[in-house]
Amino acid sequence: MIGIYRNTLKNIPVLTVVESSKQEEPLPVFIYFHGFTSAKEHNLALAYLLAQKGYRVILPDSAFHGEREEDMSKQELNFKFWDIVYQNLKELQDIKDELDRNGLIKDRKVGVGGTSMGGITTSAALTMYPWIQAATVMMGSPKPVEFAKKMVQDVEKTGIPLPLEPAQLEELFESLEGIDLSNQMEKLYGRPLFFWHGDADPVVPFQHSYEFYNEAIKLYKNPENIRFLREVGRDHKVSRFAVLEMVNWLELVL
């Protein structure tokens, strides 16, 4: 029987999805981050499928989302996007440390994935944490600097004033350079990496991940360790096909 357990890890609200009889055993771990304005519960189907295959799946709520939601407008939340990504990155290490402390990770097998904002988090995490053994990016961008500039352009088109001065924007872009995987491909270290993206995505540009993949595959001694799944005509919503393909791929590499 697959169990869904609501708990906290280092004060982070999470759902743990795991085979009930193996709840206290060390298992391969997969940590999956939800998208912007979503919540941990929205990825239960994916987590269930992975738990069936023997993984302990951790679904955290990002800052200002789910159980951590605060009373703020969508516009206020939009301007916290990168703060949330950075918080995700810090909390990813916290979650991993807590699982380690409790002896719940088998053979150091830890994978990380995410949807949209969660996929952006995942790509950035690969620049920081060599302990990640496999990663899945579902319609995320491994080019945070480019994506941040696109976000600024999108806001400017609406006529809504940016709460940042030009100097602050430059500071943001500079800080994002440090977690921009597209400029640090050597940090992939040949680790298994899966991309899925709909080529009609109006939110996160398809080209970001597709162009990255075409460059990154040149660095892989085993090209089967990096996979890009393109879904023709798909917009900014993960399909069941994408989830099934991701789950099957992860089982091969982690």
Side-chain angles (χ1 to χ4, degrees):
M1 182 184 295
I2 305 298
I4 301 169
Y5 304 93
R6 182 180 170 189
N7 53 338
T8 58
L9 295 173
K10 290 280 186 80
N11 298 317
I12 304 157
V14 306
L15 292 176
T16 300
V17 186
V18 64
E19 177 71 45
S20 299
S21 62
K22 298 179 179 178
Q23 190 185 353
E24 305 301 326
E25 295 179 23
L27 296 170
V29 168
F30 189 63
I31 303 165
Y32 196 85
F33 289 93
H34 62 72
F36 189 64
T37 72
S38 185
K40 60 188 183 302
E41 292 82 5
H42 294 209
N43 293 309
L44 278 170
L46 175 153
Y48 180 87
L49 292 169
L50 283 169
Q52 280 187 314
K53 293 180 180 291
Y55 295 89
R56 180 189 318 283
V57 185
I58 308 295
L59 304 176
D61 266 333
S62 295
F64 310 114
H65 288 72
E67 290 181 49
R68 306 168 81 177
E69 190 174 357
E70 295 185 14
D71 185 19
M72 66 174 71
S73 69
K74 175 74 186 305
Q75 186 177 322
E76 288 174 311
L77 188 62
N78 284 340
F79 291 130
K80 289 188 176 294
F81 183 90
W82 293 109
D83 293 337
I84 297 165
V85 170
Y86 276 114
Q87 185 80 355
N88 280 347
L89 292 168
K90 176 191 175 297
E91 291 178 351
L92 174 58
Q93 183 70 58
D94 290 341
I95 290 167
K96 191 258 188 184
D97 289 346
E98 189 73 0
L99 294 169
D100 261 335
R101 190 178 67 81
N102 290 310
L104 294 174
I105 303 174
K106 183 177 181 180
D107 300 332
R108 294 181 294 177
K109 290 185 176 181
V110 181
V112 178
T115 302
S116 192
M117 180 179 72
I120 290 168
T121 296
T122 301
S123 295
L126 289 169
T127 70
M128 298 173 63
Y129 302 128
W131 49 259
I132 297 172
Q133 294 204 355
T136 65
V137 178
M138 312 295 274
M139 63 188 190
S141 173
K143 299 185 176 188
V145 176
E146 267 190 56
F147 186 61
K149 289 178 178 177
K150 176 192 179 296
M151 292 173 79
V152 169
Q153 289 168 358
D154 289 347
V155 172
E156 287 174 340
K157 287 175 186 173
T158 67
I160 297 170
L162 282 166
L164 298 173
E165 297 295 326
Q168 292 174 301
L169 280 176
E170 282 307 312
E171 192 177 325
L172 170 64
F173 299 148
E174 279 183 32
S175 74
L176 292 174
E177 289 282 359
I179 57 169
D180 193 315
L181 185 60
S182 68
N183 293 327
Q184 306 172 70
M185 289 190 187
E186 71 281 359
K187 290 187 176 178
L188 286 168
Y189 307 125
R191 287 176 287 181
L193 177 57
F194 176 96
F195 287 99
W196 172 86
H197 215 132
D199 65 7
D201 188 339
V203 180
V204 180
F206 167 83
Q207 290 301 121
H208 283 196
S209 53
Y210 188 58
E211 290 170 359
F212 175 90
Y213 163 78
N214 284 318
E215 287 300 311
I217 194 171
K218 299 170 187 174
L219 302 177
Y220 276 75
K221 290 181 180 177
N222 179 3
E224 291 184 8
N225 270 356
I226 182 167
R227 184 178 179 205
F228 190 98
L229 189 61
R230 174 182 192 155
E231 195 161 345
V232 176
R234 190 73 182 181
D235 59 7
H236 196 67
K237 186 177 181 183
V238 178
S239 64
R240 173 171 167 78
F241 165 72
V243 169
L244 294 174
E245 289 292 316
M246 190 210 87
V247 168
N248 290 336
W249 178 87
L250 195 68
E251 189 180 21
L252 296 174
V253 300
L254 183 67

Coordinates of all heavy atoms in Angstrom, one line a residue, residues 2 12 55-56 67 71 75 94-95 105 126 128 135-136 145 155 175 178 188 191 196-197 231 236 248-249:
I2 N 0.5 2.2 -0.8 CA 1.3 3.5 -0.9 C 0.7 4.4 0.2 O -0.6 4.7 0.2 CB 1.2 4.1 -2.3 CG1 1.7 3.1 -3.3 CG2 2.0 5.4 -2.3 CD1 3.1 2.7 -3.2
I12 N 9.9 22.8 7.0 CA 9.3 22.9 5.6 C 8.2 21.9 5.5 O 8.4 20.7 5.7 CB 10.4 22.6 4.6 CG1 11.6 23.5 4.7 CG2 9.8 22.7 3.2 CD1 12.9 22.9 4.1
Y55 N 10.6 4.3 -4.7 CA 11.2 5.6 -4.2 C 10.4 6.1 -3.0 O 9.2 5.9 -2.9 CB 11.1 6.6 -5.4 CG 12.0 6.2 -6.6 CD1 11.4 5.5 -7.6 CD2 13.3 6.6 -6.7 CE1 12.1 5.2 -8.7 CE2 14.0 6.3 -7.8 CZ 13.4 5.6 -8.8 OH 14.2 5.2 -9.9
R56 N 11.2 6.9 -2.2 CA 10.6 7.8 -1.2 C 10.5 9.1 -1.9 O 11.5 9.7 -2.3 CB 11.5 7.9 0.0 CG 10.9 8.8 1.1 CD 11.9 9.0 2.3 NE 12.6 7.8 2.6 CZ 12.1 6.8 3.3 NH1 10.9 6.9 3.8 NH2 12.8 5.7 3.6
E67 N 0.7 25.4 2.2 CA 0.5 25.7 3.6 C 1.3 26.9 4.0 O 1.0 27.5 5.1 CB 1.1 24.5 4.4 CG 0.2 23.2 4.3 CD 0.8 22.1 5.2 OE1 1.1 22.4 6.4 OE2 0.9 21.0 4.7
D71 N -1.1 36.3 2.7 CA -2.1 37.2 2.1 C -1.4 38.3 1.3 O -0.9 39.3 1.8 CB -2.9 37.9 3.2 CG -4.1 38.7 2.6 OD1 -4.4 38.5 1.4 OD2 -4.6 39.6 3.3
Q75 N 0.3 40.0 -8.1 CA 1.4 40.9 -8.5 C 2.6 40.9 -7.5 O 3.7 40.8 -7.8 CB 0.9 42.3 -8.7 CG 2.0 43.2 -9.3 CD 1.4 44.6 -9.6 OE1 0.3 44.8 -10.0 NE2 2.2 45.6 -9.3
D94 N 18.5 21.6 3.1 CA 18.0 21.3 4.4 C 17.2 19.9 4.4 O 17.3 19.1 5.4 CB 17.0 22.4 4.9 CG 17.7 23.7 5.2 OD1 18.9 23.7 5.4 OD2 17.1 24.8 5.2
I95 N 16.4 19.7 3.4 CA 15.6 18.5 3.3 C 16.5 17.3 3.2 O 16.4 16.3 3.9 CB 14.7 18.6 2.1 CG1 13.5 19.6 2.3 CG2 14.1 17.2 1.7 CD1 12.7 19.9 1.1
I105 N 18.1 7.7 3.3 CA 18.5 7.7 1.9 C 19.4 6.4 1.6 O 20.4 6.2 2.3 CB 19.4 8.9 1.6 CG1 18.6 10.2 1.9 CG2 19.8 8.9 0.1 CD1 19.4 11.5 1.7
L126 N 21.7 22.0 -9.8 CA 22.8 21.3 -10.4 C 24.1 22.0 -10.4 O 25.2 21.5 -10.5 CB 22.4 20.8 -11.8 CG 21.4 19.7 -11.9 CD1 20.9 19.5 -13.4 CD2 21.9 18.4 -11.4
M128 N 25.0 23.8 -7.8 CA 25.4 23.9 -6.4 C 25.7 22.6 -5.7 O 26.5 22.5 -4.8 CB 24.2 24.6 -5.7 CG 23.9 26.0 -6.2 SD 22.4 26.7 -5.4 CE 22.9 26.8 -3.6
A135 N 18.3 14.3 -12.4 CA 17.4 15.4 -12.3 C 16.5 15.4 -13.5 O 16.8 14.9 -14.6 CB 18.3 16.7 -12.3
T136 N 15.3 15.9 -13.2 CA 14.2 16.0 -14.2 C 13.7 17.4 -14.2 O 13.3 17.9 -13.2 CB 13.1 15.0 -14.0 OG1 12.4 15.3 -12.8 CG2 13.6 13.5 -13.9
V145 N 19.2 33.7 -16.2 CA 19.4 35.1 -16.6 C 18.5 35.5 -17.8 O 17.8 36.5 -17.7 CB 20.9 35.3 -16.9 CG1 21.1 36.8 -17.4 CG2 21.8 35.0 -15.7
V155 N 6.7 42.2 -18.0 CA 6.1 43.2 -17.1 C 6.0 44.6 -17.7 O 5.0 45.3 -17.6 CB 6.8 43.2 -15.8 CG1 6.3 44.4 -14.9 CG2 6.7 41.9 -15.0
S175 N 23.5 38.1 -9.9 CA 23.4 37.0 -8.9 C 22.9 35.7 -9.6 O 23.4 34.6 -9.2 CB 22.4 37.4 -7.8 OG 21.1 37.4 -8.2
G178 N 25.4 33.1 -11.1 CA 26.0 32.1 -10.2 C 25.2 30.8 -10.3 O 25.8 29.7 -9.9
L188 N 27.6 19.6 -14.8 CA 26.7 18.5 -15.0 C 27.4 17.2 -14.6 O 26.7 16.3 -14.1 CB 26.2 18.4 -16.5 CG 25.2 19.5 -16.9 CD1 25.1 19.5 -18.4 CD2 23.8 19.2 -16.3
R191 N 25.9 13.7 -15.2 CA 24.8 13.2 -14.4 C 23.5 13.1 -15.3 O 23.2 13.9 -16.1 CB 24.4 14.1 -13.2 CG 25.5 14.0 -12.1 CD 25.2 15.0 -11.0 NE 25.5 16.4 -11.4 CZ 25.3 17.4 -10.6 NH1 24.9 17.2 -9.3 NH2 25.6 18.7 -11.0
W196 N 11.5 17.7 -20.3 CA 10.3 17.6 -21.1 C 9.8 19.0 -21.3 O 9.8 19.9 -20.3 CB 9.2 16.8 -20.4 CG 7.9 16.9 -21.1 CD1 7.5 16.2 -22.2 CD2 6.9 17.9 -20.9 NE1 6.2 16.6 -22.6 CE2 5.9 17.7 -21.9 CE3 6.7 19.0 -20.0 CZ2 4.7 18.5 -21.9 CZ3 5.6 19.8 -20.1 CH2 4.6 19.5 -21.0
H197 N 9.4 19.4 -22.5 CA 8.9 20.7 -22.7 C 7.9 20.7 -23.9 O 8.2 20.1 -24.9 CB 10.0 21.7 -23.0 CG 9.8 23.1 -22.5 ND1 10.7 23.8 -21.8 CD2 8.7 23.9 -22.6 CE1 10.2 24.9 -21.4 NE2 9.0 25.0 -21.9
E231 N 7.1 17.8 -26.8 CA 5.7 17.5 -27.1 C 5.2 18.6 -28.0 O 5.0 19.7 -27.6 CB 4.9 17.3 -25.8 CG 3.6 16.6 -26.0 CD 3.0 16.1 -24.8 OE1 3.7 15.9 -23.7 OE2 1.8 15.8 -24.8
H236 N 1.7 25.3 -21.6 CA 2.4 25.3 -20.3 C 1.6 24.4 -19.3 O 1.1 24.9 -18.3 CB 2.5 26.7 -19.7 CG 3.5 26.8 -18.6 ND1 4.8 26.6 -18.8 CD2 3.3 27.1 -17.3 CE1 5.5 26.8 -17.6 NE2 4.5 27.1 -16.7
N248 N 9.4 6.5 -16.0 CA 10.1 5.3 -16.6 C 11.6 5.6 -16.8 O 12.4 4.7 -16.5 CB 9.4 5.0 -17.9 CG 8.1 4.4 -17.8 OD1 7.7 3.8 -16.7 ND2 7.2 4.5 -18.8
W249 N 11.9 6.8 -17.2 CA 13.3 7.2 -17.4 C 14.0 7.2 -16.0 O 15.2 6.7 -15.9 CB 13.4 8.6 -18.0 CG 14.8 9.1 -18.2 CD1 15.6 8.8 -19.3 CD2 15.5 9.9 -17.3 NE1 16.8 9.5 -19.1 CE2 16.8 10.1 -17.9 CE3 15.3 10.5 -16.1 CZ2 17.8 10.9 -17.3 CZ3 16.2 11.3 -15.5 CH2 17.5 11.4 -16.1

